[in-house]
Amino acid sequence: MIAEHRAMSDRVLRGNQAAFGDSVSLQVDEDEKREHGLGRKSGPLLSGTAYCISSCCMILLNKVVLSSYNFNAGISLMFYQNMISTVIVALLGLSGAVSVEKLNWKLIRIWIPVNLIFIGMLVSGMYSLKYINIAMVTILKNMTNILTAIGELYIFRRHHNQKVWTAMFFMIISAVSGGITDLSFDTAGYTWQIINCVLTASYSLTLRRVMDKAKQFTRSGSLNEVSMVLLNNLLSLPFGIFLILLFGEWEYVINVDVVRLPMFWVVATASGLLGLAISFTSMWFLHQTGPTTYSLVGSLNKIPISIAGLVLFKVPLSVPNLFSVLFGLFAGVLFARAKMSGLESNKM
């Protein structure tokens, strides 16, 4: 369902050049060039804006569900959101709006290890967001970049320049100082976030290796992003049910009063729709720009998320903690720019 802004309109006036003259034909061509030039310029802006808005709203709504409503069933929330995504993508695939690879047992078997990490990543992210304020979550997420870079070095033998390692050093300083000065420090929340960083880095590194194997078991010989979204969300449902029963969340969800509030379901459903929106807008934005711009915008996007989280949830702050948050955001942007410069130098 990725929007294509490069489609050229038919030149319907071409056959009437004799009647209207060459000047009319030239004017039509100039109008077309101007129109499509504007389309190419507005595409990255629109897709980038959609990605940033959906990402910010998703995190804020998850925080509302887990903290403001005091909902203590992160696995159940993940299950509900993934079920929404599965149903919508399946319906879009059946209607022909998007291209979805036909699933088979060999493909599923190859994908299960990735999916297990994906589930752990989502669940740990839910619980960390419940106990930690959004600003500190975004700063601690920088540790994922460090773990991924180390994994790339030892697994894929991909070396990074001095700027990347300097940015990662700044990230470590901001994370440590942020935790020390956090007035609302919560041991359980920080533990969940550390687990989330490890699993997120593992997901990124594992996905790169599994994708190549998975392509061998598809009819088309490739695996597009929409099919991966369906695979992750669909396969997570049976595992989600197992975890809900294992940890006794089912009994909690049935008896807790908050599930009887219509507004709770509105917010939970909206967060699920935004989760799917992030998948599609990120693919759209990546298609319109490239990995380097996508990475930089993702780092810049942490700034409004952090500010919104601090303001909306009235997080108690000290000056040292605020400085640590700002320093961490700066380190994230510096890291993205360092990665961009490294990629550009490799191309030359």
Side-chain angles (χ1 to χ4, degrees), residues 55-70:
S55 178
C56 289
C57 292
M58 171 70 171
I59 293 175
L60 293 173
L61 283 180
N62 277 345
K63 183 67 174 178
V64 169
V65 173
L66 296 167
S67 296
S68 298
Y69 283 101
N70 198 28

Side-chain angles (χ1 to χ4, degrees), residues 206-277:
T206 306
L207 184 63
R208 299 180 192 182
R209 307 189 74 169
V210 172
M211 279 178 62
D212 293 333
K213 294 181 181 179
K215 291 176 183 178
Q216 302 173 11
F217 300 101
T218 60
R219 287 187 175 183
S220 62
S222 63
L223 192 64
N224 61 26
E225 291 87 348
V226 179
S227 299
M228 286 190 285
V229 170
L230 180 61
L231 261 174
N232 270 335
N233 288 280
L234 179 61
L235 294 182
S236 71
L237 298 182
F239 290 115
I241 293 174
F242 173 75
L243 291 174
I244 289 171
L245 296 175
L246 180 65
F247 290 98
E249 281 196 4
W250 178 248
E251 185 177 356
Y252 168 82
V253 172
I254 292 177
N255 296 317
V256 71
D257 293 333
V258 72
V259 298
R260 296 173 179 81
L261 299 176
M263 196 60 197
F264 169 81
W265 289 105
V266 171
V267 176
T269 302
S271 67
L273 294 173
L274 285 169
L276 183 61

Side-chain angles (χ1 to χ4, degrees), residues 21-256:
D22 292 338
S23 61
V24 174
S25 177
L26 289 172
Q27 183 63 44
V28 171
D29 288 341
E30 288 299 321
D31 289 342
E32 284 184 349
K33 290 177 181 178
R34 190 180 300 110
E35 178 182 351
H36 295 302
L38 289 173
R40 285 192 294 270
K41 292 178 181 179
S42 63
L45 179 62
L46 290 174
S47 59
T49 302
Y51 166 66
C52 290
I53 291 175
S54 59
S55 178
C56 289
C57 292
M58 171 70 171
I59 293 175
L60 293 173
L61 283 180
N62 277 345
K63 183 67 174 178
V64 169
V65 173
L66 296 167
S67 296
S68 298
Y69 283 101
N70 198 28
F71 187 65
N72 295 317
I75 300 173
S76 299
L77 179 60
M78 177 213 70
F79 176 83
Y80 182 64
Q81 291 175 345
N82 290 1
M83 183 176 64
I84 291 174
S85 297
T86 300
V87 171
I88 293 177
V89 173
L91 290 175
L92 291 174
L94 291 174
S95 65
V98 296
S99 176
V100 179
E101 191 69 36
K102 188 175 180 180
L103 305 183
N104 57 71
W105 171 243
K106 290 183 178 180
L107 177 60
I108 292 173
R109 188 175 59 186
I110 289 292
W111 202 262
I112 283 178
V114 177
N115 188 252
L116 291 175
I117 300 174
F118 173 74
I119 294 169
M121 181 181 70
L122 293 183
V123 173
S124 58
M126 291 284 188
Y127 282 109
S128 67
L129 195 60
K130 176 177 175 58
Y131 297 110
I132 311 177
N133 67 73
I134 293 176
M136 282 308 304
V137 167
T138 57
I139 300 308
L140 292 173
K141 278 184 178 293
N142 283 337
M143 302 302 293
T144 301
N145 296 329
I146 299 173
L147 295 174
T148 303
I150 295 173
E152 288 177 336
L153 177 63
Y154 286 99
I155 297 174
F156 299 104
R157 303 299 178 187
R158 184 175 299 173
H159 296 275
H160 304 285
N161 58 40
Q162 190 64 37
K163 293 180 180 179
V164 171
W165 292 110
T166 302
M168 288 193 289
F169 177 71
F170 288 156
M171 288 176 179
I172 295 173
I173 294 177
S174 67
V176 173
S177 61
I180 294 174
T181 58
D182 188 2
L183 297 179
S184 57
F185 181 87
D186 188 284
T187 304
Y190 274 74
T191 302
W192 278 114
Q193 186 55 50
I194 292 172
I195 294 173
N196 178 258
C197 291
V198 173
L199 290 174
T200 303
S202 300
Y203 177 75
S204 175
L205 296 169
T206 306
L207 184 63
R208 299 180 192 182
R209 307 189 74 169
V210 172
M211 279 178 62
D212 293 333
K213 294 181 181 179
K215 291 176 183 178
Q216 302 173 11
F217 300 101
T218 60
R219 287 187 175 183
S220 62
S222 63
L223 192 64
N224 61 26
E225 291 87 348
V226 179
S227 299
M228 286 190 285
V229 170
L230 180 61
L231 261 174
N232 270 335
N233 288 280
L234 179 61
L235 294 182
S236 71
L237 298 182
F239 290 115
I241 293 174
F242 173 75
L243 291 174
I244 289 171
L245 296 175
L246 180 65
F247 290 98
E249 281 196 4
W250 178 248
E251 185 177 356
Y252 168 82
V253 172
I254 292 177
N255 296 317
V256 71

